[in-house]
Each structure stands twice: as structure tokens, then as C-alpha cells.
């Protein structure tokens, strides 16, 4: 499944609202793509917060606080992993070099999370 702006422009062109103009939609999708690529660059660094919380959960003496920090760690982990991975795998078709690069990015995220766990 790939999000193509042209597929959205055609049904929305029947409306006469200024938000549905093709130029404004093109600008929106261009900036969204740019922001998503920026998120892809920052996500290995953002995994550090989750790794820090996970590491701190093992050092706490209280079982409830430890479990709460571990759940918070998983909650922080989700946006830094699922959003970039979902963006990559919905943007590129299967069996292309971009999809192989997407899988290598997933590997990079796993390696960076392990690095952050060891680092802290």
C-alpha cells in the first residue's frame, strides 16, 4: 500500500474549498515527506530515551516503580520505532532496493537500541 497524492487529489478536486487545492496538497505532502525523513534520521537517537528508562527500571528497588518504568520505556519506544518503520514500508513497494534498504534500517534501529542499552 502506497500513499500517492494524485489518488487523493482527483476525488478532492470536486470540492471548492481552498484547502483542497492541488498546490496546497502538493505542499502538504512535500513537507510531510520531509518531516518523515527528518524523523527517520532522529529515531536512532530517540531510542536512547527508551533505553535509559529500561536501564533505570532494572536498577530500582521497588517492584512497582520498576514495572512502571519498564512500561513507560515501551511506551516511549513505540513512536520511535513504529512511525518510521510504517512510513518506510508504506512508501516503497516490495522487492525493490528501497525495501531492502528499509529492512537494513530496521536492523540499524535494533543495533542502536542495543547500543543504547549497553551504553547506559
Amino acid at each position: 500500500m502506497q500513499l500517492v497524492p494524485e489518488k487523493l487529489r482527483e476525488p478532492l478536486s470536486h470540492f471548492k474549498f481552498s484547502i483542497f487545492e492541488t498546490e496546497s496538497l502538493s505542499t502538504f505532502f512535500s513537507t510531510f515527506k520531509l518531516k518523515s525523513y527528518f524523523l527517520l534520521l532522529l529515531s536512532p537517537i530517540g531510542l536512547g530515551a527508551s533505553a535509559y528508562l529500561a536501564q533505570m527500571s532494572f536498577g530500582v528497588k521497588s517492584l512497582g516503580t520498576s514495572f512502571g518504568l519498564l512500561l513507560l520505556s515501551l511506551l516511549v519506544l513505540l513512536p520511535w520505532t513504529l512511525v518510521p518503520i510504517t512510513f518506510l514500508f508504506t512508501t516503497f513497494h516490495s522487492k525493490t532496493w528501497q525495501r531492502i534498504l528499509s529492512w537494513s534500517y530496521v536492523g540499524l534501529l535494533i543495533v542502536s537500541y542495543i547500543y543504547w542499552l549497553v551504553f547506559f
Side-chain angles (χ1 to χ4, degrees):
M1 179 178 184
Q2 184 176 7
L3 184 62
V4 181
E6 288 80 22
K7 289 183 180 178
L8 290 175
R9 286 185 196 149
E10 195 265 321
L12 296 177
S13 65
H14 302 295
F15 296 104
K16 299 299 179 196
F17 301 111
S18 63
I19 195 170
F20 296 120
E21 293 176 4
T22 56
E23 187 174 319
S24 63
L25 274 178
S26 175
T27 304
F28 169 76
F29 282 112
S30 297
T31 57
F32 176 75
K33 196 175 206 179
L34 184 64
K35 289 177 185 178
S36 298
Y37 286 140
F38 188 66
L39 180 67
L40 287 174
L41 290 174
L42 289 180
S43 60
I45 298 167
L47 288 175
S50 175
Y52 181 72
L53 287 171
Q55 196 69 19
M56 292 301 292
S57 71
F58 294 118
V60 176
K61 302 286 189 228
S62 171
L63 182 65
T65 307
S66 176
F67 186 68
L69 281 175
L70 191 61
L71 286 178
L72 183 63
S73 166
L74 292 174
L75 186 66
V76 172
L77 179 69
L78 286 176
W80 288 110
T81 55
L82 288 181
V83 172
I85 290 171
T86 304
F87 172 71
L88 282 176
F89 284 102
T90 56
T91 304
F92 303 122
H93 295 290
S94 59
K95 297 185 178 141
T96 59
W97 66 271
Q98 292 101 341
R99 183 60 67 99
I100 295 170
L101 195 63
S102 300
W103 280 109
S104 63
Y105 181 76
V106 170
L108 172 80
L109 287 178
I110 292 170
V111 167
S112 67
Y113 187 71
I114 292 170
Y115 171 77
W116 283 116
L117 281 176
V118 171
F119 179 71
F120 290 126

